[in-house]
């Protein structure tokens, strides 16, 4: 029996400095978990905002450009693969969300987060189940996060050819798992994820390169500006 659609979301906050937050990349075996925070401008509405997963790539890219142009503020937050390995994927996602909101050029008065919980942070906020299809600002954040991460996977495919990252975006598909078993793990793979652990133990690293532990990231003040 199909699930009944959730009712429209009614937010207790009625002002204009509302930030929506969403993430992309908790499930993949490689790369960062990417989050975005967006404050939309009521005077510059954007038609067609929706859950990024339900949009075509062409439509996502078009909306991405419109959001960057018309939003009051937007920001990217992220946690890299070595941070995920150190913190675990849940804590890394929460930290990436906090980085996204902290990076906004306009301070939000209220934050809505896609999902069923919010990070422990200083902004008044509430979670919204299926928020990427119920709240325009969260939809916008989901689009920014997905387009950003998808483009990063395309760049990683050029850096590490043979894994098919541009197609499956790092998720544990049969193609990705077969490539891992054949080529070994890259320095961008999440070593704490079991399929990667098993490959490191049995096959080793990509091109027989055993990477040293990456240095701790140093975040510049402008890190979240103009990231594509």
């Amino acid at each position: 029996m199909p699930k009944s659609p959730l009712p429209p979301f009614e937010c207790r906050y009625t002002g204009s400095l509302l930030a929506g937050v969403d993430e992309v990349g908790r499930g993949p075996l490689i790369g960062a978990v990417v989050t975005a925070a967006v404050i939309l401008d009521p005077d510059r509405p954007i038609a067609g905002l929706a859950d990024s997963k339900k949009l075509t790539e062409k439509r996502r890219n078009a909306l991405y450009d419109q959001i960057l142009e018309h939003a009051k503020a937007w920001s990217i937050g992220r946690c890299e693969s070595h941070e995920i390995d150190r913190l675990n994927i849940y804590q890394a996602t929460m930290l990436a969300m906090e980085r996204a909101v902290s990076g906004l050029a306009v301070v939000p008065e209220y934050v809505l987060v896609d999902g069923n919980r919010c990070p422990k942070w200083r902004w008044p906020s509430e979670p919204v189940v299926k928020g990427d299809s119920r709240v325009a600002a969260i939809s916008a954040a989901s689009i920014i996060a997905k387009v950003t991460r998808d483009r990063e996977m395309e760049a990683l495919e050029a850096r590490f050819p043979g894994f098919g990252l541009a197609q499956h975006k790092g998720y544990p598909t049969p193609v990705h798992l077969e490539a891992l078993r054949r080529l070994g793990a890259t320095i961008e793979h999440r070593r704490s994820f079991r399929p990667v652990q098993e490959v490191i133990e049995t096959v080793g690293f990509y091109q027989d390169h055993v990477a040293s532990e990456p240095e701790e990231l140093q975040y510049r003040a402008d890190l979240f500006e103009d990231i594509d």
Side-chain angles (χ1 to χ4, degrees), residues 66-118:
Q66 291 181 52
I67 295 164
L68 299 196
E69 181 179 355
H70 296 301
K72 278 188 177 180
W74 64 273
S75 174
I76 296 291
R78 55 194 298 114
C79 268
E80 306 299 334
S81 56
H82 71 274
E83 294 181 290
I84 294 169
D85 291 338
R86 187 178 74 245
L87 298 171
N88 75 47
I89 187 59
Y90 171 75
Q91 295 296 337
T93 301
M94 296 296 105
L95 177 57
M97 287 182 175
E98 184 171 3
R99 287 171 174 170
V101 179
S102 294
L104 287 167
V106 177
V107 178
E109 293 179 345
Y110 203 77
V111 182
L112 297 178
V113 177
D114 184 57
N116 59 9
R117 62 185 66 186
C118 296

Side-chain angles (χ1 to χ4, degrees), residues 138-157:
I138 297 179
S139 299
S142 77
I143 291 166
I144 295 296
K146 180 164 177 55
V147 171
T148 298
R149 193 178 192 282
D150 284 357
R151 291 178 180 178
E152 291 179 2
M153 289 298 102
E154 292 167 5
L156 277 185
E157 173 64 18

